[in-house]
C-alpha cells in the first residue's frame, strides 16, 4: 500500500520551489532584519530554529495519520461502533483537513502565521486527547473533525513560514527536510503503533495511539510560543472565498454521506447525490462571479483553462484516493480478517515506507529523464501491484498471503514514490504566474484531500458490510477483492489521464 500519500503536499511545494528557485541562498528573516551582518547571522539561526519547529510538527501530524490506520479495528470493537460510524471516523479527518487549507492560508497572510500555527496546534493536540478519552464513537468523530481542522491550519502555516524565511536553493532544502520528516513518520508510525497495540490491553491500545500526540504537541507548542515570528508576514488584501469553500465542502460531504451504510443512511442516498450534482454547477458559477468581483477564488479561470493542470489534478485525485483507501482496507483485512498481530502487520508494511521514501528522493532524476511517460509506466506498475494483491487474497493460503505481501507493497511503494512528486511537479509547472502557482498548489492539495475522504468512506463501508455478512476468512477475502476492483478503476482513471497528457505533450513537441 502506498505510504507517501499523507505528505504528498510536501512534494507539490518542493516541486514548485525547485522549478522556480532563483540562484540565491537563504533569505533568513524579513529584509528589514538583514541590514547588519550580526543581525543577519542571528536571523539565520532563528530561521533554522523555526524550520526545526516546522519539521517537528510536520512529523507529529503525519505520524498521527500513519498510526491511526492500525487503531481502527481495536477502536471499532472497543466502542462497538457501527459501520457508518467507522466510515465517518476514517474519512472526516481528511475532509476537515482539506476544508481548513484555504481559509487558514488567507488568515495566516492577514494576521500572521504564528497565531494560526499556535491555534491549530492547540486544536490538534487537545482534540487528540479528547479522542483518546472518548466513551462513544460520536465523540471520536467530533475529535477527528477538529483534529483535521487543526492539522490543516498547521500545514498551511508550515509551508508559509518556509516560503517566507527561505528563498532559492535554501527553500528547496528546507522543504526537502520537511519531506524527509514525512518519510520518517511513515516508517516510525507502523512500528510505534504495532508496539503500542501489542503491549497494551485492546481497549487501552487504540486510546494510547490518540494520546501519543499530546507530548509531541505540548513540546512543539512551547517552542513555537517562544521562537515563531510575531509580525504580520503579508500586506496583501485579505480575501477568503467563503461561499466557494462552503459549496465545495457541501458537495464533498454529500458524496461522502451517500457512501454511508446502514438503515438510517440508505434512504438519503438519492438526496445526497442530487445535492452534489446540483452543487457542482453552482460552485463553478460562483467561482467565476467571485473572480470577476476581484476576489481570489478557490478555483480560478486560469486553472480551469489549463488542460495540463486539470489532467494532472485528475491523476493526483484518483491516485491519492486509491492509495489511501487501499491502505485502510488492507489494514482491516489483515487485522480483522486474517487476525494478524498488529506488530507483525506493521513489520510487513515497512518495505512500502522505505521504498516510497527512496523512490521519491530519486523521482526528480526520474522525471527529468522520462517526463510524463515515466509516470504513465509508474502508474501501470502500481496497477499491476494492486492486481497482484487481489490475486493473492483470492487464491493463496493465508501464510502465502502474508509472505508475499512485503514484496507486493514494495512494488507499490516504489511506484507511488515515482508518481506523486513528478505528477505534482509537472502539474504545477503548467501555471506560470506566482499567484497562480499558489492557487494551483492549494487547490491541488484540497482536491486530493476531498477525494481521499470520499474514497476512504466508500471503501471502508463496502468492506465492512460485505465482511459482516458472515464469519470466516473467506468472507473477508471476498470483501477485500470486491473493494480492490473499484480501486483498480481509480488507478485506471489516473492512468488514462496520464496517457492523455503524455500524448498531448508529445503532439506539442517540435519536430526536427
Amino acid at each position: 500500500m502506498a505510504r507517501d500519500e499523507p505528505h504528498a503536499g510536501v512534494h507539490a511545494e518542493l516541486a514548485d520551489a525547485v522549478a522556480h528557485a532563483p540562484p540565491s541562498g537563504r533569505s533568513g528573516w524579513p529584509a528589514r532584519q538583514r541590514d547588519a551582518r550580526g543581525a543577519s547571522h542571528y536571523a539565520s539561526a532563528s530561521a533554522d530554529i523555526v524550520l526545526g519547529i516546522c519539521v517537528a510538527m510536520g512529523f507529529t501530524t503525519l505520524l498521527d495519520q500513519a498510526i491511526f490506520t492500525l487503531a481502527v479495528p481495536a477502536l471499532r470493537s472497543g466502542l462497538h461502533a457501527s459501520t457508518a460510524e467507522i466510515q465517518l471516523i476514517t474519512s472526516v479527518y481528511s475532509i476537515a483537513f482539506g476544508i481548513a487549507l484555504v481559509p487558514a492560508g488567507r488568515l495566516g497572510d492577514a494576521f500572521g502565521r504564528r497565531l494560526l500555527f499556535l491555534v491549530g496546534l492547540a486544536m490538534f493536540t487537545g482534540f487528540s486527547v479528547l479522542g483518546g478519552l472518548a466513551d462513544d464513537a460520536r465523540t471520536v468523530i467530533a475529535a477527528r473533525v477538529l483534529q483535521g481542522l487543526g492539522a490543516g491550519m498547521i500545514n498551511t502555516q508550515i509551508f508559509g513560514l518556509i516560503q517566507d524565511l527561505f528563498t532559492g536553493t535554501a527553500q528547496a532544502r528546507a522543504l526537502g527536510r520537511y519531506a524527509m520528516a514525512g518519510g520518517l513518520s511513515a516508517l516510525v508510525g507502523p512500528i510505534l503503533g504495532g508496539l503500542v497495540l501489542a503491549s497494551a490491553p485492546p481497549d487501552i491500545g487504540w486510546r494510547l495511539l490518540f494520546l501519543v500526540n499530546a507530548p509531541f504537541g505540548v513540546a512543539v507548542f512551547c517552542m513555537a510560543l517562544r521562537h515563531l515570528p510575531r509580525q504580520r508576514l503579508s500586506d496583501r488584501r485579505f480575501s477568503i472565498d467563503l461561499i466557494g469553500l462552503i459549496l465545495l465542502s457541501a458537495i464533498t460531504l454529500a458524496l461522502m454521506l451517500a457512501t454511508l451504510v446502514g438503515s438510517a443512511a440508505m434512504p438519503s442516498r438519492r438526496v445526497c447525490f442530487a445535492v452534489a450534482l446540483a452543487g457542482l454547477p453552482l460552485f463553478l458559477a460562483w467561482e467565476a462571479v467571485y473572480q470577476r468581483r476581484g476576489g481570489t477564488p478557490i478555483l480560478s479561470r486560469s486553472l480551469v483553462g489549463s488542460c495540463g493542470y486539470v489532467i494532472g489534478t485528475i491523476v493526483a485525485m484518483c491516485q491519492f484516493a486509491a492509495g489511501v483507501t487501499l491502505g485502510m482496507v488492507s489494514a482491516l483485512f489483515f487485522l480483522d480478517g486474517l487476525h494478524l498481530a498488529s506488530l507483525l502487520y506493521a513489520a510487513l508494511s515497512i518495505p512500502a515506507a522505505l521504498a516510497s521514501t527512496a523512490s521519491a528522493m530519486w523521482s526528480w532524476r526520474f522525471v527529468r529523464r522520462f517526463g510524463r511517460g515515466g509516470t504513465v509506466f509508474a502508474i501501470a506498475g502500481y496497477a499491476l501491484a494492486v492486481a497482484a494483491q487481489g490475486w493473492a487474497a483470492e487464491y493463496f493460503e493465508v501464510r502465502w498471503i502474508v509472505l508475499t505481501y512485503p514484496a507486493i507493497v514494495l512494488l507499490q511503494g516504489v511506484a507511488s514514490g515515482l508518481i506523486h512528486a513528478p505528477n505534482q511537479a509537472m502539474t504545477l509547472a503548467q501555471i506560470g504566474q506566482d499567484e497562480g502557482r499558489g492557487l494551483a498548489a492549494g487547490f491541488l492539495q484540497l482536491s486530493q484531500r476531498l477525494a481521499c475522504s470520499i474514497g476512504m468512506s466508500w471503501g471502508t463501508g463496502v468492506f465492512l458490510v460485505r465482511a459482516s455478512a458472515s464469519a470466516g476468512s473467506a468472507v473477508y477475502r471476498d470483501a477485500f477483492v470486491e473493494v480492490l476492483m473499484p480501486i483498480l478503476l481509480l488507478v485506471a482513471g489516473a492512468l488514462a489521464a496520464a496517457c492523455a497528457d503524455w500524448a498531448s505533450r508529445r503532439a506539442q513537441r517540435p519536430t526536427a
Side-chain angles (χ1 to χ4, degrees):
M1 85 190 112
R3 288 284 177 185
D4 66 327
E5 283 87 349
H7 55 282
V10 178
H11 299 305
E13 297 287 343
L14 182 56
D16 191 40
V18 171
H20 305 95
S24 60
R26 174 183 303 171
S27 69
W29 215 247
R32 60 180 176 273
Q33 293 188 13
R34 298 198 305 270
D35 296 335
R37 183 176 179 180
S40 177
H41 177 75
Y42 173 77
S44 297
S46 299
D48 286 335
I49 294 174
V50 173
L51 177 60
I53 293 171
C54 291
V55 170
M57 196 60 239
F59 174 82
T60 302
T61 56
L62 295 171
L63 181 70
D64 172 80
Q65 295 182 13
I67 65 178
F68 182 74
T69 300
L70 296 176
V72 171
L75 184 152
R76 180 191 179 203
S77 59
L79 294 181
H80 306 288
S82 67
T83 298
E85 289 171 333
I86 291 297
Q87 285 181 271
L88 289 172
I89 288 171
T90 56
S91 58
V92 292
Y93 181 93
S94 286
I95 190 173
F97 190 109
I99 290 170
L101 288 173
V102 174
R106 301 283 193 270
L107 290 169
D109 288 340
F111 301 109
R113 309 208 187 277
R114 180 177 184 271
L115 175 62
L116 271 294
F117 187 99
L118 292 173
V119 170
L121 178 51
M123 290 180 61
F124 178 81
T125 305
F127 291 110
S128 294
V129 176
L130 176 64
L133 300 178
D135 291 326
D136 58 85
R138 291 183 179 180
T139 304
V140 176
I141 293 170
R144 289 299 286 174
V145 169
L146 295 167
Q147 259 190 294
L149 290 173
M153 293 172 66
I154 295 168
N155 184 73
T156 50
Q157 309 319 314
I158 288 174
F159 289 136
L161 285 166
I162 290 175
Q163 289 174 341
D164 289 327
L165 302 179
F166 299 90
T167 61
T169 56
Q171 185 181 108
R173 284 195 298 268
L175 288 166
R177 292 178 185 176
Y178 184 75
M180 289 177 62
L184 183 61
S185 69
L187 180 62
V188 172
I191 299 174
L192 177 61
L195 287 171
V196 170
L197 292 174
S199 58
D203 191 45
I204 301 297
W206 69 264
R207 297 180 184 276
L208 293 177
L209 295 187
F210 269 100
L211 297 174
V212 74
N213 294 322
F216 287 103
V218 171
V220 176
F221 187 91
C222 293
M223 294 177 63
L225 194 63
R226 180 177 179 181
H227 293 289
L228 289 190
R230 294 176 179 272
Q231 71 274 14
R232 186 176 299 184
L233 298 179
S234 175
D235 294 324
R236 290 181 296 177
R237 188 169 64 87
F238 182 59
S239 172
I240 294 181
D241 183 9
L242 188 58
I243 294 179
L245 188 66
I246 291 173
L247 287 172
L248 186 59
S249 302
I251 293 168
T252 306
L253 186 60
L255 289 174
M256 191 181 72
L257 291 176
T259 67
L260 296 184
V261 297
S263 57
M266 291 294 287
S268 62
R269 283 188 177 179
R270 292 183 179 179
V271 175
C272 291
F273 278 121
V275 169
L277 291 175
L280 183 58
L282 205 61
F283 168 72
L284 295 176
W286 167 256
E287 292 298 280
V289 170
Y290 189 71
Q291 186 168 6
R292 282 199 300 268
R293 292 179 178 177
T296 304
I298 298 172
L299 183 63
S300 68
R301 285 193 299 266
S302 62
L303 300 184
V304 178
S306 173
C307 181
Y309 178 82
V310 171
I311 291 177
T313 301
I314 292 172
V315 172
M317 291 175 65
C318 291
Q319 190 66 35
F320 194 83
V324 176
T325 304
L326 177 61
M328 177 61 70
V329 177
S330 295
L332 291 171
F333 172 64
F334 278 95
L335 298 177
D336 264 5
L338 303 185
H339 303 291
L340 230 64
S342 55
L343 188 57
L344 175 58
Y345 175 71
L348 295 176
S349 303
I350 290 175
L354 293 174
S356 63
T357 301
S359 62
M361 292 174 61
W362 183 71
S363 63
W364 308 113
R365 296 180 182 177
F366 179 80
V367 72
R368 281 200 299 265
R369 174 66 178 86
F370 299 105
R372 175 58 83 181
T375 61
V376 168
F377 286 104
I379 295 172
Y382 189 90
L384 180 64
V386 175
Q389 194 170 347
W391 180 272
E394 181 74 16
Y395 297 107
F396 287 4
E397 296 180 4
V398 172
R399 61 178 177 178
W400 287 110
I401 295 175
V402 174
L403 290 174
T404 57
Y405 183 71
I408 292 173
V409 296
L410 180 71
L411 176 58
Q412 289 176 6
V414 170
S416 63
L418 298 177
I419 294 169
H420 293 290
N423 176 68
Q424 289 166 337
M426 289 182 286
T427 301
L428 293 177
Q430 301 298 309
I431 308 300
Q433 299 177 349
D434 290 340
E435 184 179 2
R437 289 200 300 269
L439 289 173
F443 187 79
L444 187 62
Q445 285 196 66
L446 175 61
S447 62
Q448 287 180 154
R449 288 290 171 180
L450 298 186
C452 170
S453 66
I454 297 170
M456 288 182 66
S457 176
W458 166 84
T460 304
V462 170
F463 178 83
L464 292 178
V465 167
R466 298 295 183 269
S468 61
S470 60
S473 62
V475 177
Y476 276 89
R477 289 171 182 251
D478 294 340
F480 185 58
V481 172
E482 183 174 344
V483 175
L484 285 186
M485 296 307 295
I487 289 176
L488 271 174
L489 289 178
L490 282 173
V491 179
L495 181 62
C499 286
D501 190 42
W502 187 25
S504 175
R505 291 169 185 263
R506 289 176 65 87
Q508 294 173 4
R509 187 179 303 170
T511 57

